[in-house]
Amino acid sequence: MPVLDLSPQLPDNLWPTRSFVGEVVPFAATAFREGHDLIGVTLLLRAPDGALTSRPMTLTVPGTDRWAAEAQLDQPGSWEYRIGAYADDWNTWRHNALIKIPAGVDVDLMFLIGSELLSVAAADSGRVAAERRLFRAAAKVLVNGDLPVAERLAALDEAKLAKAIALHPLAGLDSVSEPRTIIVERKRAAVGSWYEFFPRSEGAKKLADGSWKSGTFRTAAKRLPAVAAMGFDVLYLPPIHPIGTSFRKGPNNSLTVGPFDPGSPWAIGSADGGHDAIHPDLGTAADFTYFLNRAKKLGIEVALDFALQASPDHPWVTAHPEWFTTLPDGSIAYAENPPKKYQDIYPINFDNDPAGIRAEALRVLTHWIDLGVTIFRVDNPHTKPLDFWEWLITEVNSQHPDVIFLAEAFTRPALMQALGKVGFQQSYTYFTWRNTKEELEDFFDGLARETPNFLRPNLFVNTPDILTEFLQFGGPAAFKIRAALAALASPSWGVYAGFELYESVARPGAEESIDNEKYEYRPRSFAKAEELGQSLAPFITQLNQIRRDHPALGQLRNLDIHSSDDDSILVFSKYLDAAYTGTGEADALLIVINVDPHSVRETVVHLDVTRFGIPVGEPFDVTDLLTGTTWTWTADNFVRLDAFTEPLHILHVKGRSA
């Protein structure tokens, strides 16, 4: 029997599907046979520890021959699945018997065929004794001519018999697909709340002569409790290495540099060392280890930036000039992304010595892994060869399977997606530029339906390079809206420091903050802002607590779009069945959000209640997790959302009304 179009799998099956511990994965296949006899389809799973499990698949829509099942993958490692089809002898016979016997057609023959099917199953030594006894007894009933036909026919639907056959079908003519592989990674590979800060700004002080005393790992560690208190579990640090002085950039990316300008951390390398060194202003390796340990005690993993590029002062430039592009005039090409120019950065040329570059990249990563780093945010991976990343991530994960790579790749869809296929565990996305209801519906649906087998989104709301017009001109409501969208739609989301302070002033002509922290120290008064009620930190804390309390938010594939009558009211839900929550209770959330930060909106929302476990036509109770207010809802409900006070509802579906 043909078993075709297996899912999940990547196009052409060139790379394995990727999942994470705890993810509920949908499986599907097209299976059929000739004629009219019924078939059954089974999902066969082999866990990394070798344990085998099977579960029946159900026909999705009659006439499509598409079968589906889902499973929660609970171990890290390499999983294997096959999908098997079989001749469903019992249900084929049962279907025919329920038509022919009541009509008086071939009554005794039909009962005899059914009895023989049960007798064969009863003789199967692979079945448990109680099941075999049950089949023998039922076989005798079917051919007992002393019993009324109706009583013999009723035996087909006896509860214990039906359950036994459902668990272990009476099957023949097995056909099994070729195996497919799923790489299941640790939960943090897909689920996490990220925060970004520059350690040199944390504790930095401007001195009387205009110079600066840099923040250090020791002073930055004092910020960690506040980051943990907001509920973040990953802290991303921009490059912590020595910074070059040649062509150093001044404030706001200017070419005019003062004596106290610290330079861009991405201009890596000086006489103090390169990618395996720590900037002397930040401290020593011992200070970095202290910082890592403090973060770990607070439940925070530290992610380092991995930027394969060099300042003109990097040791690589003199030791390995072949790793760069030499122009006809003898100069080395610096990085450009027109109209942007990065005179302080030399990009790597991977064509001249690919083996040497691979070895050095692996050495650098191993150095930091040995110090305790388990997450790397990779800068501009789309400007390096795809096969380089495939090799490097495979090499690292073969020895360190818990290491995670986040791709900072704002590039064309095919290339962004290919980076996920070859191994990147997470990726930045186009989220920051998806603002309208229509844009967000298409974007979220694509994340949940089109790419989850290989691309795990990390929805950063801002970065040092990205301050969108939506945030520049949307006021505090815009910041709340974007934080809620990111935190509730994706299992992973991120915030760059200053977002909680509503930093919204851009450098003229650019989509990044004025007085950009990439080029200068930027100490902030977080506590003072919160004390004055001028901080989004309490709301961010609430969002992250809701994420921890509701396992449905830790999944991606379960995002469903609903509708409203207003072009700025976005509605989506996330639902996780009780079998997968770990609490024994289903988890259902509805998010209704006004994505226009300048308005008050009134409208009716329309829900497909079956998507979150409610029967059609039945009312149900919802509680707003932000305010504690409870309402009774149906499939169609009036809402009023004021962007200037509370632009959204986060509704927990608690159960049906009496």
Side-chain angles (χ1 to χ4, degrees):
M1 283 173 281
V3 181
L4 310 171
D5 301 327
L6 273 65
S7 177
Q9 68 174 330
L10 271 59
D12 300 322
N13 199 32
L14 294 176
W15 299 281
T17 296
R18 292 185 176 270
S19 182
F20 60 92
V21 171
E23 184 180 22
V24 178
V25 178
F27 294 84
T30 298
F32 51 86
R33 68 168 299 181
E34 75 288 350
H36 301 288
D37 286 0
L38 301 179
I39 69 169
V41 181
T42 302
L43 170 65
L44 307 168
L45 282 168
R46 182 187 297 274
D49 63 4
L52 294 172
T53 58
S54 65
R55 58 194 65 208
M57 303 181 78
T58 58
L59 191 62
T60 56
V61 179
T64 64
D65 295 316
R66 192 68 177 168
W67 298 77
E70 60 184 20
Q72 188 172 44
L73 306 184
D74 57 2
Q75 296 178 31
S78 181
W79 288 66
E80 181 183 279
Y81 79 92
R82 298 170 182 252
I83 293 178
Y86 58 88
D88 192 345
D89 296 335
W90 174 259
N91 281 311
T92 296
W93 170 81
R94 183 179 180 279
H95 170 78
N96 295 334
L98 291 176
I99 294 172
K100 297 176 76 172
I101 292 174
V105 177
D106 298 332
V107 173
D108 290 337
L109 177 60
M110 292 305 297
F111 278 129
L112 180 60
I113 293 171
S115 178
E116 288 183 350
L117 287 173
L118 291 171
S119 296
V120 170
D124 183 356
S125 60
R127 296 180 182 270
V128 298
E131 192 175 272
R132 295 167 67 187
R133 288 195 298 270
L134 180 66
F135 289 164
R136 280 194 295 269
K140 291 178 180 178
V141 170
L142 292 185
V143 293
N144 187 346
D146 295 333
L147 296 174
V149 169
E151 186 173 334
R152 294 156 68 189
L153 201 58
L156 275 62
D157 295 320
E158 195 276 326
K160 290 183 179 180
L161 179 67
K163 182 178 180 180
I165 292 175
L167 287 173
H168 303 104
L170 277 58
L173 303 177
D174 288 346
S175 299
V176 182
S177 73
E178 291 298 310
R180 300 290 188 271
T181 299
I182 302 177
I183 302 300
V184 177
E185 294 161 312
R186 65 185 178 110
K187 187 176 181 180
R188 185 66 69 232
V191 184
S193 299
W194 290 53
Y195 190 82
E196 174 183 358
F197 72 47
F198 286 67
R200 73 184 184 187
S201 290
E202 301 299 329
K205 294 181 180 179
K206 192 169 187 178
L207 305 180
D209 63 357
S211 64
W212 282 86
K213 180 177 176 58
S214 173
T216 67
F217 286 124
R218 297 278 175 169
T219 60
K222 297 177 181 178
R223 175 72 179 145
L224 291 173
V227 174
M230 284 189 287
F232 292 104
D233 36 46
V234 178
L235 175 65
Y236 156 52
L237 303 180
I240 61 172
H241 316 299
I243 298 171
T245 56
S246 297
F247 304 103
R248 175 175 286 189
K249 291 297 187 72
N252 293 308
N253 198 32
S254 72
L255 297 177
T256 303
V257 185
F260 307 129
D261 292 330
S264 167
W266 281 272
I268 299 169
S270 75
D272 293 314
H275 283 69
D276 55 358
I278 292 172
H279 197 298
D281 288 354
L282 294 176
T284 65
D287 295 321
F288 179 65
T289 299
Y290 168 82
F291 183 85
L292 289 180
N293 290 336
R294 287 287 298 144
K296 185 176 181 180
K297 288 180 180 178
L298 292 166
I300 296 173
E301 281 191 74
V302 173
L304 283 192
D305 196 279
F306 184 57
L308 276 178
Q309 58 203 34
S311 85
D313 306 316
H314 197 294
W316 289 346
V317 176
T318 53
H320 295 283
E322 71 277 10
W323 291 358
F324 305 93
T325 298
T326 301
L327 299 174
D329 64 359
S331 64
I332 294 178
Y334 58 76
E336 292 187 78
N337 183 15
K340 295 181 178 180
K341 294 185 177 182
Y342 304 96
Q343 294 91 337
D344 54 341
I345 294 173
Y346 288 166
I348 304 295
N349 183 327
F350 285 78
D351 297 333
N352 297 331
D353 181 20
I357 294 170
R358 285 185 175 193
E360 177 67 356
L362 181 59
R363 184 192 69 80
V364 168
L365 286 172
T366 302
H367 169 78
W368 294 108
I369 292 168
D370 289 344
L371 285 177
V373 178
T374 52
I375 305 178
F376 296 92
R377 178 268 199 192
V378 179
D379 191 70
N380 289 324
H382 57 289
T383 62
K384 287 80 178 173
L386 194 67
D387 69 325
F388 167 78
W389 294 119
E390 182 176 24
W391 175 85
L392 184 62
I393 294 173
T394 299
E395 285 293 310
V396 171
N397 284 156
S398 67
Q399 299 298 316
H400 308 281
D402 283 349
V403 170
I404 295 165
F405 292 90
L406 165 65
E408 187 249 1
F410 298 108
T411 184
R412 303 181 304 280
L415 182 48
M416 178 187 288
Q417 294 174 17
L419 289 166
K421 292 173 183 177
V422 301
F424 275 92
Q425 284 81 7
Q426 294 187 21
S427 178
Y428 284 69
T429 70
Y430 311 118
F431 169 70
T432 46
W433 299 283
R434 301 295 184 264
N435 297 308
T436 68
K437 172 187 174 181
E438 183 178 6
E439 289 170 345
L440 287 162
E441 286 179 340
D442 290 344
F443 177 69
F444 287 160
D445 194 61
L447 292 180
R449 302 282 181 270
E450 297 173 12
T451 57
N453 291 335
F454 52 85
L455 190 145
R456 301 193 193 110
N458 192 324
L459 302 188
F460 263 78
V461 292
N462 67 328
T463 77
D465 293 309
I466 301 173
L467 180 66
T468 62
E469 290 186 358
F470 190 90
L471 295 178
Q472 292 176 35
F473 304 111
F479 286 76
K480 178 175 277 193
I481 290 166
R482 298 303 292 180
L485 288 169
L488 301 172
S490 174
S492 284
W493 78 299
V495 170
Y496 159 54
F499 181 88
E500 65 268 49
L501 303 183
Y502 307 110
E503 291 180 0
S504 59
V505 181
R507 177 164 59 89
E511 198 181 50
E512 60 182 43
S513 296
I514 192 76
D515 303 327
N516 196 295
E517 196 170 4
K518 290 188 296 182
Y519 309 107
E520 55 190 277
Y521 299 101
R522 191 80 180 269
R524 297 175 172 91
S525 300
F526 295 103
K528 186 65 174 179
E530 193 164 349
E531 181 183 323
L532 295 174
Q534 298 172 354
S535 171
L536 195 64
F539 179 71
I540 291 173
T541 303
Q542 196 172 15
L543 283 177
N544 280 331
Q545 184 62 53
I546 290 169
R547 286 168 52 86
R548 285 193 296 272
D549 292 343
H550 291 276
L553 297 176
Q555 304 283 322
L556 177 63
R557 303 173 190 265
N558 63 344
L559 190 153
D560 287 300
I561 302 294
H562 302 266
S563 66
S564 79
D565 295 334
D566 188 282
D567 60 7
S568 288
I569 299 297
L570 174 69
V571 188
F572 63 92
S573 66
K574 285 204 163 186
Y575 174 75
L576 192 60
D577 187 86
Y580 308 123
T581 60
T583 65
E585 296 182 1
D587 187 33
L589 292 178
L590 279 170
I591 291 84
V592 186
I593 184 164
N594 178 3
V595 297
D596 177 3
H598 306 286
S599 69
V600 179
R601 300 277 176 157
E602 295 182 350
T603 191
V604 174
V605 301
H606 307 285
L607 309 173
D608 177 358
V609 297
T610 64
R611 300 304 300 166
F612 47 89
I614 301 296
V616 174
E618 291 198 12
F620 53 95
D621 293 336
V622 295
T623 297
D624 192 327
L625 297 176
L626 296 175
T627 66
T629 306
T630 297
W631 298 280
T632 297
W633 273 28
T634 62
D636 305 288
N637 310 275
F638 171 81
V639 296
R640 182 180 190 273
L641 291 170
D642 184 344
F644 305 103
T645 55
E646 195 59 82
L648 76 153
H649 295 312
I650 306 174
L651 302 174
H652 182 208
V653 180
K654 294 178 23 175
R656 303 171 194 170
S657 299

